[in-house]
Amino acid sequence: MDKFYTPVSQIKLVMQSRGVALAQPVRQDSITNLRQIFPMISNDFFEIFREFDGFLPGQTDGASVIAVWGVDQIASYAKSSNIYHEDRIAFGDFMIGSENICCSASNLENPVFLDESLYHLADSYFDFWYKICSGTLDFN
C-alpha cells in the first residue's frame, strides 16, 4: 500500500499546476551519496525525489512559501551543518522565517517540523505532502 495520502504522481501535477518549476528525477548517485550520510534513511523518503528532485532554485509553493530541496542540496546541507550524525534530516526551507523543514530520516511517520522553532508542520512526512497539495499547511 502506498503510504502517501496523495499519490506521488499527483503531488507532481499539483506542484506544476501551481507554476512550481520542478527538477528532473533524482540520479541514483545522489541517492547513494545521501545514504552514506544517513544510512538509516527510509526508502519511502526517495519516492518524491524519484518523481522530481525538489523544486528548481528560487521556486516556492506560493500557497505555503516553502521550497523543497533536491537530494544533492539535502546532502550538502547535512554535511555543512554537522547534523548528519543525527536522525533529523532537513529537506526544505520555509522562506519567510528562514527555517529549515525537517523530519526523521529513519521514521517518516514522525512529525515534520521547523528546525529552529521546532514548530510542528505535519504529523508525518506523508501528511506534510498531503497538506502541501491540499493547501492546508498552516504556519499560524
Side-chain angles (χ1 to χ4, degrees):
M1 183 176 125
D2 192 358
K3 292 183 179 182
F4 285 87
Y5 308 141
T6 305
V8 174
S9 59
Q10 184 66 28
I11 293 169
K12 180 178 180 178
L13 291 174
V14 168
M15 294 296 100
Q16 289 173 326
S17 73
R18 291 185 185 159
V20 179
L22 304 173
Q24 294 296 313
V26 68
R27 298 178 328 273
Q28 185 57 45
D29 62 316
S30 296
I31 291 174
T32 300
N33 183 39
L34 192 60
R35 283 196 182 285
Q36 289 173 346
I37 299 166
F38 292 100
M40 77 298 271
I41 197 165
S42 168
N43 288 329
D44 291 333
F45 182 80
F46 295 107
E47 274 191 63
I48 290 285
F49 300 97
R50 286 187 175 105
E51 191 73 30
F52 61 93
D53 192 15
F55 300 177
L56 289 178
Q59 295 290 300
T60 64
D61 171 46
S64 58
V65 197
I66 61 109
V68 175
W69 303 333
V71 171
D72 288 338
Q73 186 174 354
I74 293 168
S76 176
Y77 178 79
K79 288 178 184 176
S80 70
S81 67
N82 294 320
I83 65 163
Y84 59 86
H85 63 281
E86 298 177 18
D87 185 43
R88 180 182 68 193
I89 185 169
F91 65 94
D93 188 10
F94 173 47
M95 303 303 283
I96 292 175
S98 296
E99 290 194 62
N100 296 321
I101 300 165
C102 301
C103 68
S104 166
S106 63
N107 186 352
L108 299 178
E109 297 291 341
N110 286 341
V112 172
F113 57 93
L114 296 176
D115 65 350
E116 298 283 326
S117 64
L118 300 179
Y119 183 82
H120 180 266
L121 292 175
D123 292 337
S124 70
Y125 182 71
F126 311 107
D127 185 43
F128 170 81
W129 285 105
Y130 169 78
K131 287 183 171 190
I132 288 291
C133 288
S134 66
T136 59
L137 191 65
D138 188 9
F139 292 96
N140 295 321

